[in-house]
Amino acid sequence: MLPRCAFSVCHVFVLVLCLSSAEDFDWTKNGHSSFHYGTFPAGFSWGAGSSAYQTEGAWDKDGKGLSIWDVFSHKKGKIQRNDTGDSSCEGYHKVKDDVSLMKELKLNHYRFSISWPRLIPTGIKSDHINEKGIQYYDELINHLLESKITPIVTLYHWDLPQVLQEKYGGWQNISMVNHFNEFASLCFERFGNRVKYWMTFNNPWSVAVEGYETGEHAPGLRLKGTGAYKAAHHIIKAHAKVWHTYDTQWRGKQKGLVGISLSGDWGEPVDISNQKDIEAAERYVQFFLGWFATPIFHGDYPQVMKDFVGRKSAQQGLGTSRLPTFSPQEKSYIKGTCDFLGIGHFTTRYITEKNHPSARGSGSYFTDRDLAELVDPRWPDPGSEWLYSVPWGFRRLLNFVKSQYGNPMIYVTENGVSEKMLCTELCDEWRIQYYKDYINEMLKAIKDGVNVKGYTAWSLLDKFEWDEGYSERFGLYYVDFRNKNKPRYPKASVQFYKRVISSNGFPNQREVENWRRKAVETCSSSNQLLAADPLTSQMEMVTEIVVPTVCTLSILLGAVFLMFLLRRRN
Ligand code: NOJ
């Protein structure tokens, strides 16, 4: 009986989509003919994003402590080509330069994260606070505000202090809740007079699943079937605690907002007339976005997760479900702890039902869902293996958020596309196409009544892409990682996004076509500039050799001159 109730909301939703698709060609899945020209509501906020470990570099500078990503990336074989974030984009040393790029784009906001071990090297506040780290974020925030760019700050974008991992097992341990709360309080205390948009966590799905279930991400644990659920449980509690801390101790003075950034792919039933596919697609989204959003908005895990993980656990002969439970007090403490919802969205999957029989000792997050993911081979796939461009999924996901969680205020915190290029390419037409179509679907969602207040292009710069190292580039700006100075070059998408921002949307077909043409024209000259760059990096290397050579030469000459003087004396 219970699962049926849980599915009914989805049924209505899918039914609405089907009915609308009958009358409104806008719900079409193949895009181009249905492009909607129009503008965004006044005051809509346009931004770009980054995160600390992916861009800052300076991994051991000025008293910063180790994070789990420093340690993980230094282990051989964990990251493509054994890349590390040690220097990355050198963002730590390039605050002014990067804020200039944002000004060039005329961004309204910039989303970045604070590195916990840069502020608190061991992660434990009573041990030590690193004032140099505080100074760095002070400088960044002040530069942004001077440039009229609103900082949107994430407290946890995956870089847990290593000491907390070693001492307690990281997010497997409930003690993280208090340590994270202390770190968050420090941030509110030091930056809260200037920062008004806070996000506790970025994409906790990845932290839980990739950090503790598959081990592809730091800390690299493979605790199949339990690790991810436990990590997520503690993360949700930590989020709620920080929201309450802000609400009771800081909101009165600082008048800011605290949210969370969740990621979610859209799951579309393979056959929209097949009940099993519809239910499987619903499960896909509930196990992804709903896992975190449902407790935060409604106080508990999605019913379908409780049912499926509970049943599978019983079939495995376990006495209790592998999915932890919240007490009644915890449920009411967690419910409603979100002033705005951050949504990170990149792609979509087709979903069909697939039964995974559960044997003793087996079981994992993935098999708990009883489904299979499929992709349409016609979907563009320019970069990351998992990232297919499916713009229509974005509008569906945003409408899902509206209907499931009471139309919350949404900031899109991540949306963008990567490229996998061996040679340098600044003429990123496919990225222009991706942004154009995804931003357009977001515009349609706003017309549907979804409360989206801002959009964050992911990302401002090419950067360290976690286990993929530097092999996948998401940036609007190209970063030349071969050059020690890490110079930035605008891709064509910079020109395009800039125009979307200045027009606050898409005025008309002729203009938008013109933007694309102009963007592609300008990029070819920048491409040539970049093609000449290896020369610059060589020149630097020569300098490195020349400097000691000149020194050595002067010492030799000095010695010869001394010998000459001594001989003359004799
Ligand atoms: C989501 C993560 O939050 C972000 O750090 C990453 O760059 C993007 N996914 C793309 O993989």
PDB file of all heavy atoms in Angstrom, residues 50-51 54 111 157-158 202-203 206 210 217 261 263 344-346 384 386-387 413-414 416 418 458-459 463-466 468 472 474, ligand 1:
ATOM      1  N   SER A  50      33.102  27.851  -8.727  1.00  0.00           N
ATOM      2  CA  SER A  50      34.368  27.132  -8.560  1.00  0.00           C
ATOM      3  C   SER A  50      34.321  26.449  -7.193  1.00  0.00           C
ATOM      4  O   SER A  50      33.371  26.637  -6.447  1.00  0.00           O
ATOM      5  CB  SER A  50      35.542  28.114  -8.564  1.00  0.00           C
ATOM      6  OG  SER A  50      35.574  28.807  -7.332  1.00  0.00           O
ATOM      7  N   SER A  51      35.364  25.697  -6.875  1.00  0.00           N
ATOM      8  CA  SER A  51      35.474  25.196  -5.502  1.00  0.00           C
ATOM      9  C   SER A  51      36.931  25.248  -5.089  1.00  0.00           C
ATOM     10  O   SER A  51      37.832  25.284  -5.940  1.00  0.00           O
ATOM     11  CB  SER A  51      34.941  23.773  -5.397  1.00  0.00           C
ATOM     12  OG  SER A  51      35.930  22.851  -5.810  1.00  0.00           O
ATOM     13  N   GLN A  54      39.478  22.454  -6.203  1.00  0.00           N
ATOM     14  CA  GLN A  54      39.591  22.374  -7.656  1.00  0.00           C
ATOM     15  C   GLN A  54      40.383  23.527  -8.267  1.00  0.00           C
ATOM     16  O   GLN A  54      40.868  23.401  -9.384  1.00  0.00           O
ATOM     17  CB  GLN A  54      38.198  22.309  -8.281  1.00  0.00           C
ATOM     18  CG  GLN A  54      37.481  21.003  -7.998  1.00  0.00           C
ATOM     19  CD  GLN A  54      36.122  20.941  -8.661  1.00  0.00           C
ATOM     20  OE1 GLN A  54      35.161  21.529  -8.174  1.00  0.00           O
ATOM     21  NE2 GLN A  54      36.018  20.239  -9.770  1.00  0.00           N
ATOM     22  N   ARG A 111      30.178  31.901  -7.069  1.00  0.00           N
ATOM     23  CA  ARG A 111      30.050  30.821  -6.087  1.00  0.00           C
ATOM     24  C   ARG A 111      31.414  30.167  -5.881  1.00  0.00           C
ATOM     25  O   ARG A 111      32.049  29.728  -6.840  1.00  0.00           O
ATOM     26  CB  ARG A 111      29.052  29.781  -6.602  1.00  0.00           C
ATOM     27  CG  ARG A 111      28.977  28.602  -5.694  1.00  0.00           C
ATOM     28  CD  ARG A 111      28.040  27.534  -6.207  1.00  0.00           C
ATOM     29  NE  ARG A 111      28.023  26.475  -5.226  1.00  0.00           N
ATOM     30  CZ  ARG A 111      28.172  25.187  -5.495  1.00  0.00           C
ATOM     31  NH1 ARG A 111      28.318  24.780  -6.743  1.00  0.00           N
ATOM     32  NH2 ARG A 111      28.157  24.308  -4.541  1.00  0.00           N
ATOM     33  N   HIS A 157      32.921  21.692   0.113  1.00  0.00           N
ATOM     34  CA  HIS A 157      32.964  21.140  -1.242  1.00  0.00           C
ATOM     35  C   HIS A 157      34.036  20.035  -1.236  1.00  0.00           C
ATOM     36  O   HIS A 157      35.046  20.113  -1.925  1.00  0.00           O
ATOM     37  CB  HIS A 157      33.254  22.228  -2.273  1.00  0.00           C
ATOM     38  CG  HIS A 157      32.812  21.885  -3.668  1.00  0.00           C
ATOM     39  ND1 HIS A 157      31.960  22.667  -4.407  1.00  0.00           N
ATOM     40  CD2 HIS A 157      33.107  20.820  -4.458  1.00  0.00           C
ATOM     41  CE1 HIS A 157      31.760  22.107  -5.598  1.00  0.00           C
ATOM     42  NE2 HIS A 157      32.453  20.987  -5.652  1.00  0.00           N
ATOM     43  N   TRP A 158      33.840  19.068  -0.333  1.00  0.00           N
ATOM     44  CA  TRP A 158      34.520  17.775  -0.350  1.00  0.00           C
ATOM     45  C   TRP A 158      35.888  17.694   0.325  1.00  0.00           C
ATOM     46  O   TRP A 158      36.451  16.610   0.421  1.00  0.00           O
ATOM     47  CB  TRP A 158      34.632  17.222  -1.783  1.00  0.00           C
ATOM     48  CG  TRP A 158      33.343  17.177  -2.526  1.00  0.00           C
ATOM     49  CD1 TRP A 158      32.100  17.517  -2.057  1.00  0.00           C
ATOM     50  CD2 TRP A 158      33.143  16.751  -3.877  1.00  0.00           C
ATOM     51  NE1 TRP A 158      31.157  17.334  -3.039  1.00  0.00           N
ATOM     52  CE2 TRP A 158      31.766  16.868  -4.169  1.00  0.00           C
ATOM     53  CE3 TRP A 158      34.000  16.287  -4.865  1.00  0.00           C
ATOM     54  CZ2 TRP A 158      31.221  16.542  -5.410  1.00  0.00           C
ATOM     55  CZ3 TRP A 158      33.465  15.953  -6.104  1.00  0.00           C
ATOM     56  CH2 TRP A 158      32.087  16.084  -6.376  1.00  0.00           C
ATOM     57  N   ASN A 202      28.071  20.884  -0.693  1.00  0.00           N
ATOM     58  CA  ASN A 202      27.916  20.750  -2.128  1.00  0.00           C
ATOM     59  C   ASN A 202      27.801  19.281  -2.478  1.00  0.00           C
ATOM     60  O   ASN A 202      28.665  18.475  -2.103  1.00  0.00           O
ATOM     61  CB  ASN A 202      29.131  21.310  -2.863  1.00  0.00           C
ATOM     62  CG  ASN A 202      29.061  20.968  -4.335  1.00  0.00           C
ATOM     63  OD1 ASN A 202      28.243  21.515  -5.057  1.00  0.00           O
ATOM     64  ND2 ASN A 202      29.870  20.007  -4.782  1.00  0.00           N
ATOM     65  N   ASN A 203      26.749  18.940  -3.174  1.00  0.00           N
ATOM     66  CA  ASN A 203      26.582  17.609  -3.736  1.00  0.00           C
ATOM     67  C   ASN A 203      26.948  16.478  -2.762  1.00  0.00           C
ATOM     68  O   ASN A 203      27.895  15.716  -3.009  1.00  0.00           O
ATOM     69  CB  ASN A 203      27.409  17.513  -5.031  1.00  0.00           C
ATOM     70  CG  ASN A 203      27.131  16.255  -5.816  1.00  0.00           C
ATOM     71  OD1 ASN A 203      26.415  15.376  -5.346  1.00  0.00           O
ATOM     72  ND2 ASN A 203      27.711  16.151  -6.988  1.00  0.00           N
ATOM     73  N   SER A 206      27.627  12.819  -4.014  1.00  0.00           N
ATOM     74  CA  SER A 206      28.967  12.385  -4.432  1.00  0.00           C
ATOM     75  C   SER A 206      29.831  12.027  -3.241  1.00  0.00           C
ATOM     76  O   SER A 206      30.579  11.049  -3.282  1.00  0.00           O
ATOM     77  CB  SER A 206      29.667  13.516  -5.183  1.00  0.00           C
ATOM     78  OG  SER A 206      29.615  13.298  -6.544  1.00  0.00           O
ATOM     79  N   GLU A 210      30.497   8.290  -3.891  1.00  0.00           N
ATOM     80  CA  GLU A 210      31.830   8.117  -4.489  1.00  0.00           C
ATOM     81  C   GLU A 210      32.944   8.074  -3.443  1.00  0.00           C
ATOM     82  O   GLU A 210      33.998   7.509  -3.677  1.00  0.00           O
ATOM     83  CB  GLU A 210      32.071   9.202  -5.527  1.00  0.00           C
ATOM     84  CG  GLU A 210      31.129   9.010  -6.715  1.00  0.00           C
ATOM     85  CD  GLU A 210      31.151  10.160  -7.695  1.00  0.00           C
ATOM     86  OE1 GLU A 210      30.851  11.306  -7.302  1.00  0.00           O
ATOM     87  OE2 GLU A 210      31.452   9.911  -8.862  1.00  0.00           O
ATOM     88  N   HIS A 217      36.339   8.556  -5.163  1.00  0.00           N
ATOM     89  CA  HIS A 217      36.721   9.859  -4.615  1.00  0.00           C
ATOM     90  C   HIS A 217      37.288   9.686  -3.210  1.00  0.00           C
ATOM     91  O   HIS A 217      37.072   8.649  -2.558  1.00  0.00           O
ATOM     92  CB  HIS A 217      35.480  10.762  -4.527  1.00  0.00           C
ATOM     93  CG  HIS A 217      35.084  11.369  -5.845  1.00  0.00           C
ATOM     94  ND1 HIS A 217      34.098  12.308  -5.951  1.00  0.00           N
ATOM     95  CD2 HIS A 217      35.553  11.174  -7.107  1.00  0.00           C
ATOM     96  CE1 HIS A 217      33.961  12.668  -7.224  1.00  0.00           C
ATOM     97  NE2 HIS A 217      34.835  11.991  -7.947  1.00  0.00           N
ATOM     98  N   SER A 261      23.455  22.709  -1.506  1.00  0.00           N
ATOM     99  CA  SER A 261      23.485  22.501  -2.946  1.00  0.00           C
ATOM    100  C   SER A 261      23.415  21.002  -3.241  1.00  0.00           C
ATOM    101  O   SER A 261      24.324  20.258  -2.889  1.00  0.00           O
ATOM    102  CB  SER A 261      24.767  23.096  -3.525  1.00  0.00           C
ATOM    103  OG  SER A 261      24.873  22.762  -4.883  1.00  0.00           O
ATOM    104  N   SER A 263      22.783  17.777  -5.986  1.00  0.00           N
ATOM    105  CA  SER A 263      22.855  17.528  -7.424  1.00  0.00           C
ATOM    106  C   SER A 263      21.823  16.464  -7.774  1.00  0.00           C
ATOM    107  O   SER A 263      21.447  15.644  -6.940  1.00  0.00           O
ATOM    108  CB  SER A 263      24.242  17.059  -7.814  1.00  0.00           C
ATOM    109  OG  SER A 263      24.455  15.813  -7.257  1.00  0.00           O
ATOM    110  N   GLY A 344      22.440  21.499  -8.580  1.00  0.00           N
ATOM    111  CA  GLY A 344      23.497  21.253  -9.557  1.00  0.00           C
ATOM    112  C   GLY A 344      22.979  20.212 -10.530  1.00  0.00           C
ATOM    113  O   GLY A 344      22.589  19.122 -10.120  1.00  0.00           O
ATOM    114  N   HIS A 345      22.933  20.559 -11.800  1.00  0.00           N
ATOM    115  CA  HIS A 345      22.355  19.618 -12.773  1.00  0.00           C
ATOM    116  C   HIS A 345      23.154  19.631 -14.070  1.00  0.00           C
ATOM    117  O   HIS A 345      23.496  20.697 -14.578  1.00  0.00           O
ATOM    118  CB  HIS A 345      20.893  20.000 -13.053  1.00  0.00           C
ATOM    119  CG  HIS A 345      20.274  19.183 -14.138  1.00  0.00           C
ATOM    120  ND1 HIS A 345      19.857  17.888 -13.941  1.00  0.00           N
ATOM    121  CD2 HIS A 345      20.034  19.464 -15.453  1.00  0.00           C
ATOM    122  CE1 HIS A 345      19.369  17.407 -15.081  1.00  0.00           C
ATOM    123  NE2 HIS A 345      19.474  18.346 -16.008  1.00  0.00           N
ATOM    124  N   PHE A 346      23.430  18.438 -14.587  1.00  0.00           N
ATOM    125  CA  PHE A 346      24.228  18.351 -15.808  1.00  0.00           C
ATOM    126  C   PHE A 346      23.600  17.483 -16.890  1.00  0.00           C
ATOM    127  O   PHE A 346      23.792  17.735 -18.065  1.00  0.00           O
ATOM    128  CB  PHE A 346      25.615  17.770 -15.490  1.00  0.00           C
ATOM    129  CG  PHE A 346      26.471  18.673 -14.631  1.00  0.00           C
ATOM    130  CD1 PHE A 346      26.418  18.600 -13.239  1.00  0.00           C
ATOM    131  CD2 PHE A 346      27.329  19.592 -15.210  1.00  0.00           C
ATOM    132  CE1 PHE A 346      27.206  19.438 -12.454  1.00  0.00           C
ATOM    133  CE2 PHE A 346      28.123  20.433 -14.436  1.00  0.00           C
ATOM    134  CZ  PHE A 346      28.064  20.353 -13.046  1.00  0.00           C
ATOM    135  N   SER A 384      32.934  14.663 -20.594  1.00  0.00           N
ATOM    136  CA  SER A 384      32.915  13.604 -19.588  1.00  0.00           C
ATOM    137  C   SER A 384      32.019  12.465 -20.055  1.00  0.00           C
ATOM    138  O   SER A 384      30.935  12.701 -20.596  1.00  0.00           O
ATOM    139  CB  SER A 384      32.380  14.143 -18.265  1.00  0.00           C
ATOM    140  OG  SER A 384      32.959  15.381 -17.971  1.00  0.00           O
ATOM    141  N   TRP A 386      30.012  10.577 -18.610  1.00  0.00           N
ATOM    142  CA  TRP A 386      28.659  10.514 -18.045  1.00  0.00           C
ATOM    143  C   TRP A 386      27.774  11.676 -18.491  1.00  0.00           C
ATOM    144  O   TRP A 386      26.583  11.673 -18.231  1.00  0.00           O
ATOM    145  CB  TRP A 386      28.753  10.516 -16.507  1.00  0.00           C
ATOM    146  CG  TRP A 386      29.571  11.663 -15.977  1.00  0.00           C
ATOM    147  CD1 TRP A 386      30.920  11.677 -15.769  1.00  0.00           C
ATOM    148  CD2 TRP A 386      29.109  12.981 -15.628  1.00  0.00           C
ATOM    149  NE1 TRP A 386      31.335  12.906 -15.301  1.00  0.00           N
ATOM    150  CE2 TRP A 386      30.240  13.722 -15.211  1.00  0.00           C
ATOM    151  CE3 TRP A 386      27.857  13.614 -15.631  1.00  0.00           C
ATOM    152  CZ2 TRP A 386      30.160  15.063 -14.791  1.00  0.00           C
ATOM    153  CZ3 TRP A 386      27.778  14.934 -15.213  1.00  0.00           C
ATOM    154  CH2 TRP A 386      28.912  15.649 -14.804  1.00  0.00           C
ATOM    155  N   LEU A 387      28.368  12.658 -19.177  1.00  0.00           N
ATOM    156  CA  LEU A 387      27.631  13.902 -19.407  1.00  0.00           C
ATOM    157  C   LEU A 387      27.077  14.018 -20.827  1.00  0.00           C
ATOM    158  O   LEU A 387      27.783  14.417 -21.752  1.00  0.00           O
ATOM    159  CB  LEU A 387      28.550  15.092 -19.077  1.00  0.00           C
ATOM    160  CG  LEU A 387      27.894  16.382 -18.606  1.00  0.00           C
ATOM    161  CD1 LEU A 387      28.933  17.403 -18.160  1.00  0.00           C
ATOM    162  CD2 LEU A 387      26.910  16.991 -19.539  1.00  0.00           C
ATOM    163  N   THR A 413      23.129  26.010  -8.904  1.00  0.00           N
ATOM    164  CA  THR A 413      24.487  26.212  -8.397  1.00  0.00           C
ATOM    165  C   THR A 413      25.556  25.626  -9.317  1.00  0.00           C
ATOM    166  O   THR A 413      26.725  25.966  -9.192  1.00  0.00           O
ATOM    167  CB  THR A 413      24.610  25.582  -6.992  1.00  0.00           C
ATOM    168  OG1 THR A 413      23.899  24.330  -7.007  1.00  0.00           O
ATOM    169  CG2 THR A 413      24.014  26.486  -5.946  1.00  0.00           C
ATOM    170  N   GLU A 414      25.141  24.727 -10.195  1.00  0.00           N
ATOM    171  CA  GLU A 414      26.079  24.165 -11.173  1.00  0.00           C
ATOM    172  C   GLU A 414      25.313  23.732 -12.407  1.00  0.00           C
ATOM    173  O   GLU A 414      24.307  23.027 -12.297  1.00  0.00           O
ATOM    174  CB  GLU A 414      26.791  22.916 -10.613  1.00  0.00           C
ATOM    175  CG  GLU A 414      27.835  23.211  -9.582  1.00  0.00           C
ATOM    176  CD  GLU A 414      28.582  21.962  -9.123  1.00  0.00           C
ATOM    177  OE1 GLU A 414      28.562  20.946  -9.837  1.00  0.00           O
ATOM    178  OE2 GLU A 414      29.193  22.030  -8.040  1.00  0.00           O
ATOM    179  N   GLY A 416      26.731  22.992 -16.667  1.00  0.00           N
ATOM    180  CA  GLY A 416      27.753  23.256 -17.677  1.00  0.00           C
ATOM    181  C   GLY A 416      28.196  21.957 -18.309  1.00  0.00           C
ATOM    182  O   GLY A 416      27.652  20.894 -18.013  1.00  0.00           O
ATOM    183  N   SER A 418      31.725  19.731 -20.189  1.00  0.00           N
ATOM    184  CA  SER A 418      33.184  19.650 -20.290  1.00  0.00           C
ATOM    185  C   SER A 418      33.594  19.331 -21.724  1.00  0.00           C
ATOM    186  O   SER A 418      32.758  19.033 -22.575  1.00  0.00           O
ATOM    187  CB  SER A 418      33.678  18.539 -19.384  1.00  0.00           C
ATOM    188  OG  SER A 418      33.046  17.332 -19.749  1.00  0.00           O
ATOM    189  N   TRP A 458      28.898  26.473 -14.605  1.00  0.00           N
ATOM    190  CA  TRP A 458      29.968  25.659 -14.025  1.00  0.00           C
ATOM    191  C   TRP A 458      30.918  25.264 -15.122  1.00  0.00           C
ATOM    192  O   TRP A 458      30.536  24.527 -16.009  1.00  0.00           O
ATOM    193  CB  TRP A 458      29.378  24.409 -13.353  1.00  0.00           C
ATOM    194  CG  TRP A 458      30.412  23.713 -12.531  1.00  0.00           C
ATOM    195  CD1 TRP A 458      31.145  22.625 -12.885  1.00  0.00           C
ATOM    196  CD2 TRP A 458      30.858  24.093 -11.221  1.00  0.00           C
ATOM    197  NE1 TRP A 458      32.006  22.295 -11.871  1.00  0.00           N
ATOM    198  CE2 TRP A 458      31.848  23.183 -10.844  1.00  0.00           C
ATOM    199  CE3 TRP A 458      30.512  25.129 -10.330  1.00  0.00           C
ATOM    200  CZ2 TRP A 458      32.508  23.266  -9.611  1.00  0.00           C
ATOM    201  CZ3 TRP A 458      31.167  25.198  -9.118  1.00  0.00           C
ATOM    202  CH2 TRP A 458      32.150  24.268  -8.771  1.00  0.00           C
ATOM    203  N   SER A 459      32.136  25.820 -15.146  1.00  0.00           N
ATOM    204  CA  SER A 459      32.708  26.610 -14.076  1.00  0.00           C
ATOM    205  C   SER A 459      33.388  27.824 -14.680  1.00  0.00           C
ATOM    206  O   SER A 459      33.546  27.903 -15.898  1.00  0.00           O
ATOM    207  CB  SER A 459      33.727  25.747 -13.328  1.00  0.00           C
ATOM    208  OG  SER A 459      34.578  25.098 -14.271  1.00  0.00           O
ATOM    209  N   LYS A 463      39.702  23.395 -14.402  1.00  0.00           N
ATOM    210  CA  LYS A 463      40.250  23.133 -13.063  1.00  0.00           C
ATOM    211  C   LYS A 463      40.451  21.642 -12.838  1.00  0.00           C
ATOM    212  O   LYS A 463      40.181  20.842 -13.727  1.00  0.00           O
ATOM    213  CB  LYS A 463      39.307  23.726 -12.018  1.00  0.00           C
ATOM    214  CG  LYS A 463      37.932  23.149 -12.215  1.00  0.00           C
ATOM    215  CD  LYS A 463      36.883  23.772 -11.405  1.00  0.00           C
ATOM    216  CE  LYS A 463      35.530  23.227 -11.792  1.00  0.00           C
ATOM    217  NZ  LYS A 463      35.428  22.296 -12.917  1.00  0.00           N
ATOM    218  N   PHE A 464      40.850  21.304 -11.646  1.00  0.00           N
ATOM    219  CA  PHE A 464      41.062  19.899 -11.282  1.00  0.00           C
ATOM    220  C   PHE A 464      39.705  19.205 -11.201  1.00  0.00           C
ATOM    221  O   PHE A 464      38.863  19.584 -10.383  1.00  0.00           O
ATOM    222  CB  PHE A 464      41.778  19.851  -9.924  1.00  0.00           C
ATOM    223  CG  PHE A 464      42.050  18.470  -9.421  1.00  0.00           C
ATOM    224  CD1 PHE A 464      43.154  17.754  -9.863  1.00  0.00           C
ATOM    225  CD2 PHE A 464      41.204  17.881  -8.491  1.00  0.00           C
ATOM    226  CE1 PHE A 464      43.409  16.475  -9.382  1.00  0.00           C
ATOM    227  CE2 PHE A 464      41.455  16.603  -8.005  1.00  0.00           C
ATOM    228  CZ  PHE A 464      42.555  15.907  -8.453  1.00  0.00           C
ATOM    229  N   GLU A 465      39.497  18.220 -12.071  1.00  0.00           N
ATOM    230  CA  GLU A 465      38.180  17.571 -12.135  1.00  0.00           C
ATOM    231  C   GLU A 465      38.208  16.236 -11.383  1.00  0.00           C
ATOM    232  O   GLU A 465      37.970  15.175 -11.948  1.00  0.00           O
ATOM    233  CB  GLU A 465      37.760  17.437 -13.605  1.00  0.00           C
ATOM    234  CG  GLU A 465      36.349  16.949 -13.864  1.00  0.00           C
ATOM    235  CD  GLU A 465      35.263  17.660 -13.060  1.00  0.00           C
ATOM    236  OE1 GLU A 465      35.347  18.889 -12.894  1.00  0.00           O
ATOM    237  OE2 GLU A 465      34.346  16.971 -12.601  1.00  0.00           O
ATOM    238  N   TRP A 466      38.543  16.319 -10.106  1.00  0.00           N
ATOM    239  CA  TRP A 466      38.522  15.168  -9.200  1.00  0.00           C
ATOM    240  C   TRP A 466      39.277  13.963  -9.786  1.00  0.00           C
ATOM    241  O   TRP A 466      40.389  14.147 -10.262  1.00  0.00           O
ATOM    242  CB  TRP A 466      37.069  14.846  -8.815  1.00  0.00           C
ATOM    243  CG  TRP A 466      36.369  16.083  -8.316  1.00  0.00           C
ATOM    244  CD1 TRP A 466      35.332  16.754  -8.910  1.00  0.00           C
ATOM    245  CD2 TRP A 466      36.684  16.863  -7.126  1.00  0.00           C
ATOM    246  NE1 TRP A 466      34.978  17.863  -8.169  1.00  0.00           N
ATOM    247  CE2 TRP A 466      35.784  17.954  -7.076  1.00  0.00           C
ATOM    248  CE3 TRP A 466      37.618  16.737  -6.092  1.00  0.00           C
ATOM    249  CZ2 TRP A 466      35.803  18.916  -6.047  1.00  0.00           C
ATOM    250  CZ3 TRP A 466      37.635  17.694  -5.067  1.00  0.00           C
ATOM    251  CH2 TRP A 466      36.733  18.749  -5.057  1.00  0.00           C
ATOM    252  N   GLU A 468      39.250  12.641 -12.481  1.00  0.00           N
ATOM    253  CA  GLU A 468      39.621  12.803 -13.892  1.00  0.00           C
ATOM    254  C   GLU A 468      40.808  13.759 -14.053  1.00  0.00           C
ATOM    255  O   GLU A 468      41.240  14.037 -15.171  1.00  0.00           O
ATOM    256  CB  GLU A 468      38.431  13.331 -14.716  1.00  0.00           C
ATOM    257  CG  GLU A 468      37.206  12.434 -14.702  1.00  0.00           C
ATOM    258  CD  GLU A 468      37.474  11.047 -15.290  1.00  0.00           C
ATOM    259  OE1 GLU A 468      38.427  10.911 -16.073  1.00  0.00           O
ATOM    260  OE2 GLU A 468      36.725  10.106 -14.936  1.00  0.00           O
ATOM    261  N   GLU A 472      39.478  16.754 -18.062  1.00  0.00           N
ATOM    262  CA  GLU A 472      38.149  17.245 -18.457  1.00  0.00           C
ATOM    263  C   GLU A 472      38.033  18.713 -18.087  1.00  0.00           C
ATOM    264  O   GLU A 472      38.226  19.088 -16.940  1.00  0.00           O
ATOM    265  CB  GLU A 472      37.061  16.413 -17.753  1.00  0.00           C
ATOM    266  CG  GLU A 472      37.065  14.987 -18.253  1.00  0.00           C
ATOM    267  CD  GLU A 472      36.019  14.106 -17.598  1.00  0.00           C
ATOM    268  OE1 GLU A 472      35.178  14.621 -16.834  1.00  0.00           O
ATOM    269  OE2 GLU A 472      36.065  12.889 -17.851  1.00  0.00           O
ATOM    270  N   PHE A 474      35.842  22.083 -17.816  1.00  0.00           N
ATOM    271  CA  PHE A 474      34.498  22.642 -17.733  1.00  0.00           C
ATOM    272  C   PHE A 474      34.480  24.165 -17.887  1.00  0.00           C
ATOM    273  O   PHE A 474      33.427  24.779 -17.888  1.00  0.00           O
ATOM    274  CB  PHE A 474      33.874  22.311 -16.363  1.00  0.00           C
ATOM    275  CG  PHE A 474      33.216  20.953 -16.302  1.00  0.00           C
ATOM    276  CD1 PHE A 474      33.954  19.813 -16.026  1.00  0.00           C
ATOM    277  CD2 PHE A 474      31.859  20.822 -16.514  1.00  0.00           C
ATOM    278  CE1 PHE A 474      33.348  18.559 -15.965  1.00  0.00           C
ATOM    279  CE2 PHE A 474      31.241  19.575 -16.462  1.00  0.00           C
ATOM    280  CZ  PHE A 474      31.982  18.441 -16.184  1.00  0.00           C
TER     281      PHE A 474
HETATM  282  C1  NOJ B   1      29.724  18.315  -9.430  1.00  0.00           C
HETATM  283  C2  NOJ B   1      30.816  18.794  -8.505  1.00  0.00           C
HETATM  284  O1  NOJ B   1      30.233  19.503  -7.464  1.00  0.00           O
HETATM  285  C3  NOJ B   1      31.856  19.648  -9.195  1.00  0.00           C
HETATM  286  O2  NOJ B   1      32.905  19.873  -8.306  1.00  0.00           O
HETATM  287  C4  NOJ B   1      32.319  19.033 -10.480  1.00  0.00           C
HETATM  288  O3  NOJ B   1      33.281  19.826 -11.113  1.00  0.00           O
HETATM  289  C5  NOJ B   1      31.103  18.825 -11.374  1.00  0.00           C
HETATM  290  N1  NOJ B   1      30.179  17.929 -10.729  1.00  0.00           N
HETATM  291  C6  NOJ B   1      31.447  18.239 -12.732  1.00  0.00           C
HETATM  292  O4  NOJ B   1      31.886  16.934 -12.580  1.00  0.00           O
END
